[in-house]
């Protein structure tokens, strides 16, 4: 058992998208750890400890050589892309193929071992395959993060990778048109899942897109609008009072930053180093806001820092400022930090770092994708936002220029083009399920209403980011259980219709 846990700690891949703020990275790291533990438990409860059921064959991990640039075959450069295959449930030779799409982090073998798609694969006797996204995890060349090399990172190249992976797997497993493919993904890979169906309808019969922000948006002010709604949502332990207190606490901090004793702030909020000027002030308030954004986005995934607990602390404290101080301390303890890194120079040098890290979120890569495709900057410049107005669009766009030499006009145009290219939140496709939680801020960029008879939206009451993707649990709220059933029913009926069509 101990060695299994050690093994798990080595994996530690991360998930979820966000801006460059330091605290958000810590939160994502923690959440992913918790999700991996959940997957691990679910997997081993199915297989049985310690060595597994006799029929169990461990998943295959492999590498596929891909063109670095699918759109210019005169460029013969390649890279190796990592994938996994789990044949455990597959009914040869005609059983369906369920594809799990990787995103802005390293993936692990759990991508074919646990989760909603694995439960569905068991039911439908599907071959499970997953593909790590190019430029993340181990799917990158040693020089991949240089300005020169990172050019070939894009969602379009990633979709072409998926097409080429489809061919590779079809050849390797002797698949025919009788093998119906269904793809799955959550968050950015949720968008890829919808787009793979949209752009390659002959390769994949249906798609599940969980918490997929399919509409690119430069200035994502609605993110914090939903965070504010969720902080006052009684269903998850929020209240109007809580939201007021949060708003008040940031007003106090802002006024101290303008005219008060900043040294006191550093001390009260465990800053690793003194704050040097306006850029560090922005990092500071951004790190504080991240705690609330994280609690909302991942509500209920972490018993330590959910909306209910944070709101209780904010309300019961003797002042709003004191509440914020307590919430920050709780957060530090929950993540296991000693202090909070508020140095803007540090953020810049992290994003400029071209050394590879084989596990975790690819921060530099993901920031590059926001600058070249999606924007998604979580700003706070409108009055509905409860946090500090120092969280400006310009402060985030500046990073595109400073780190990648990409000017603001270019970011703007790229975001527009992405929406033109994929159809934003009105994709013209078929057989896609868009699943969202009303607590999750990312739902604001997804498809929330049925687009057509077979582009279906499921909007779950009271759940956060990608809640349906994990293994089902007895503690799932009723609304989530119902959503899982709806997804399963749709998949069953689509698989049936695919068989009739063959
Ligand atoms: C790629 O093409 C160049 C010439 O265009 C050639 O020199 C090189 O050997 C080729 N590399 C591989 C791996 O084929
Ligand atoms: C695919 O077919 C070939 C030739 O019929 C056979 O040798 C091979 O074992 C098959 N592969 C799989 C994975 O079934
Ligand atoms: C698909 O399955 C049907 C029925 O089992 C079979 O007759 C047909 O040859 C298969 N098609 C392909 C392309 O394998
Ligand atoms: C500011 O706060 C620090 C830390 O609590 C304290 O040592 C210092 O005396 C304060 N300065 C002023 C001017 O109040
Ligand atoms: C969306 O489509 C699903 C499945 O066809 C259906 O059950 C549901 O009622 C539709 N929702 C709306 C709001 O029309
Ligand atoms: C969500 O669920 C709560 C109970 O848990 C209920 O009070 C509320 O009306 C529901 N909201 C919607 C939009 O269905």
């Amino acid at each position: 058992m101990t060695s299994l846990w050690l093994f798990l700690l080595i994996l530690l891949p991360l998930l979820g998208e966000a801006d460059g703020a330091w605290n958000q990275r810590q939160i994502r790291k923690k959440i992913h750890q918790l999700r991996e533990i959940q997957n691990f438990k679910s997997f081993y409860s199915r297989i049985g400890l310690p060595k597994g059921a006799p029929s169990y064959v461990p998943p295959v991990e492999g590498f596929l050589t891909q063109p670095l640039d699918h759109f210019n075959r005169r460029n013969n450069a390649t890279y190796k892309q990592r994938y996994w295959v789990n044949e455990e449930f597959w009914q040869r030779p005609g059983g369906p193929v369920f594809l799990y799409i990787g995103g802005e982090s390293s993936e692990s073998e759990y991508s074919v071992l646990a989760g909603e798609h694995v439960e569905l694969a068991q039911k439908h006797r599907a071959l499970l395959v997953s593909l790590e996204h190019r430029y993340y995890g181990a799917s990158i060349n040693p020089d991949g993060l240089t300005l020169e090399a990172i050019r070939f990172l894009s969602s379009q190249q990633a979709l072409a990778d998926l097409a080429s992976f489809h061919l590779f797997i079809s050849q390797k497993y002797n698949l025919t048109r009788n093998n119906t493919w269904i793809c799955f993904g959550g968050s950015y890979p949720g968008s890829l899942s919808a787009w793979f169906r949209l752009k390659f309808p002959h390769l994949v019969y249906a798609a599940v897109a969980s918490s997929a922000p399919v509409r690119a948006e430069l200035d994502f002010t609605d993110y914090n609008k939903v965070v504010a709604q969720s902080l006052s949502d009684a269903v998850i332990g929020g209240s109007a009072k809580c939201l007021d207190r949060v708003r008040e606490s940031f007003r106090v901090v802002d006024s101290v930053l303008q005219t008060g004793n900043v040294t006191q702030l550093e001390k009260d909020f465990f800053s690793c180093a003194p704050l040097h000027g306006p850029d560090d002030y922005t990092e500071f308030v951004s790190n504080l806001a991240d705690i609330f954004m994280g609690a909302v986005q991942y509500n209920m995934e972490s018993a330590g820092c959910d909306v209910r607990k944070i709101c209780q602390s904010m309300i019961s404290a003797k002042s709003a400022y004191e509440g914020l101080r307590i919430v920050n301390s709780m957060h530090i303890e929950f993540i296991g930090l000693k202090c909070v890194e508020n140095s803007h120079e540090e953020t810049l040098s992290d994003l400029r770092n071209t050394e590879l890290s084989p596990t975790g979120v690819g921060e530099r890569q993901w920031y590059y994708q926001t600058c070249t495709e999606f924007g998604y900057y979580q700003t706070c410049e409108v009055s509905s936002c409860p946090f500090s107005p120092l969280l400006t669009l310009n402060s985030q766009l500046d990073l595109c220029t400073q780190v990648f030499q990409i000017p603001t006009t270019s970011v703007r145009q790229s975001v527009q083009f992405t929406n033109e290219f994929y159809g934003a939140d009105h994709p013209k496709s078929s057989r896609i399920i868009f699943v969202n939680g009303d607590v999750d801020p990312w739902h604001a960029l997804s498809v929330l209403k049925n687009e057509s008879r077979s582009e279906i939206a499921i909007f779950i009451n009271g759940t956060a980011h990608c809640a349906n993707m994990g293994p089902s649990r007895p503690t799932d709220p009723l609304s989530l259980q119902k959503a899982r059933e709806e997804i399963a029913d749709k998949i069953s009926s689509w698989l049936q219709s695919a068989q009739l069509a063959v």
Side-chain angles (χ1 to χ4, degrees), residues 42-43 46 56 59 86 88 109-115 117-118 128:
S42 149
F43 168 63
R46 175 160 65 74
Y56 173 68
N86 179 5
E88 183 185 356
E109 66 193 69
Y110 288 103
S111 57
V112 292
L113 290 178
H117 62 296
V118 174
L128 276 160

Side-chain angles (χ1 to χ4, degrees), residues 20-22 25 271-284 287 340-353 364 395 398-399 402-403:
W22 185 82
R25 302 208 286 279
S271 184
C272 296
L275 304 177
H276 298 297
D279 286 345
D280 284 3
Y281 293 0
T282 301
E283 295 281 340
F284 177 76
N287 279 326
V340 178
E341 184 58 75
N342 294 308
S343 155
H344 184 63
E345 273 309 312
E346 197 65 37
T347 292
L348 271 176
S349 83
D350 282 355
L351 288 173
R352 284 179 176 144
N353 188 352
R364 176 173 164 85
S395 68
D398 284 349
L399 289 175
Q402 289 168 8
V403 177

Side-chain angles (χ1 to χ4, degrees), residues 76-334:
N76 62 4
T78 60
Y79 79 100
K80 286 194 172 1
Q81 187 168 28
R82 184 163 56 169
Y83 67 87
W84 285 269
V85 179
N86 179 5
E87 298 178 45
E88 183 185 356
F89 308 121
W90 190 33
Q91 176 164 48
R92 289 163 182 275
V97 182
F98 287 2
L99 164 65
Y100 181 89
I101 301 174
E104 70 281 20
S105 63
S106 62
E107 298 298 328
S108 75
E109 66 193 69
Y110 288 103
S111 57
V112 292
L113 290 178
E116 180 176 59
H117 62 296
V118 174
E119 291 172 10
L120 290 168
Q122 184 161 20
K123 180 171 167 194
H124 295 289
R125 308 197 58 188
L127 180 66
L128 276 160
V129 299
S130 74
L131 187 64
E132 191 170 65
H133 196 292
R134 61 165 52 207
Y135 286 82
Y136 295 94
S139 301
I140 182 168
N141 287 333
D143 70 342
L145 292 184
T146 61
L147 271 188
E148 170 67 16
I150 208 170
R151 291 179 292 147
F152 301 112
L153 168 58
S154 72
S155 60
Q156 294 171 39
Q157 296 278 3
L159 292 173
D161 284 339
L162 288 169
S164 149
F165 181 59
H166 182 284
L167 176 62
F168 170 80
I169 290 292
S170 298
Q171 287 171 346
K172 191 170 157 119
Y173 291 88
N174 296 332
L175 306 181
T176 69
R177 286 177 48 206
N178 281 358
N179 299 93
T180 304
W181 287 61
I182 296 184
C183 59
F184 297 82
S187 207
Y188 162 52
S191 298
L192 291 174
S193 180
W195 296 335
F196 193 42
R197 169 69 194 149
L198 174 75
K199 297 289 190 186
F200 299 88
H202 55 295
L203 299 185
V204 63
Y205 190 75
V208 181
S210 300
S211 305
V214 285
R215 179 160 57 87
E217 188 156 81
L218 188 70
D219 187 351
F220 187 13
T221 48
D222 279 355
Y223 184 96
N224 283 325
K225 200 168 150 191
V226 180
V227 170
Q229 277 162 10
S230 296
L231 288 172
S232 53
D233 182 352
V235 174
I236 55 168
S239 62
K241 176 118 194 272
C242 174
L243 177 59
D244 283 348
R245 273 258 159 141
V246 174
R247 198 183 289 281
E248 168 71 13
S249 71
F250 276 85
R251 261 207 299 266
V252 173
V253 166
D254 276 331
S255 81
V256 176
L257 284 173
Q258 274 163 28
T259 56
N261 186 346
V262 173
T263 311
Q264 189 66 47
L265 283 183
E266 292 159 5
K267 200 170 148 215
D268 285 347
F269 293 94
F270 300 95
S271 184
C272 296
L275 304 177
H276 298 297
D279 286 345
D280 284 3
Y281 293 0
T282 301
E283 295 281 340
F284 177 76
V285 290
S286 174
N287 279 326
L288 285 175
D290 284 345
I291 302 173
F292 296 91
M293 296 182 196
V296 168
Q297 180 167 328
Y298 303 112
N299 187 50
M300 297 199 322
E301 286 195 44
S302 53
C305 254
D306 56 3
V307 170
R308 189 174 304 277
K309 185 142 185 211
I310 276 187
C311 280
Q312 273 165 3
S313 303
M314 287 306 294
I315 290 170
S316 59
K318 66 180 194 292
S319 70
Y321 180 88
E322 188 59 15
L324 186 58
R325 216 180 55 72
I326 291 168
V327 164
N328 183 63
S329 299
M330 262 165 43
H331 164 77
I332 287 174
E333 190 184 340
F334 169 63

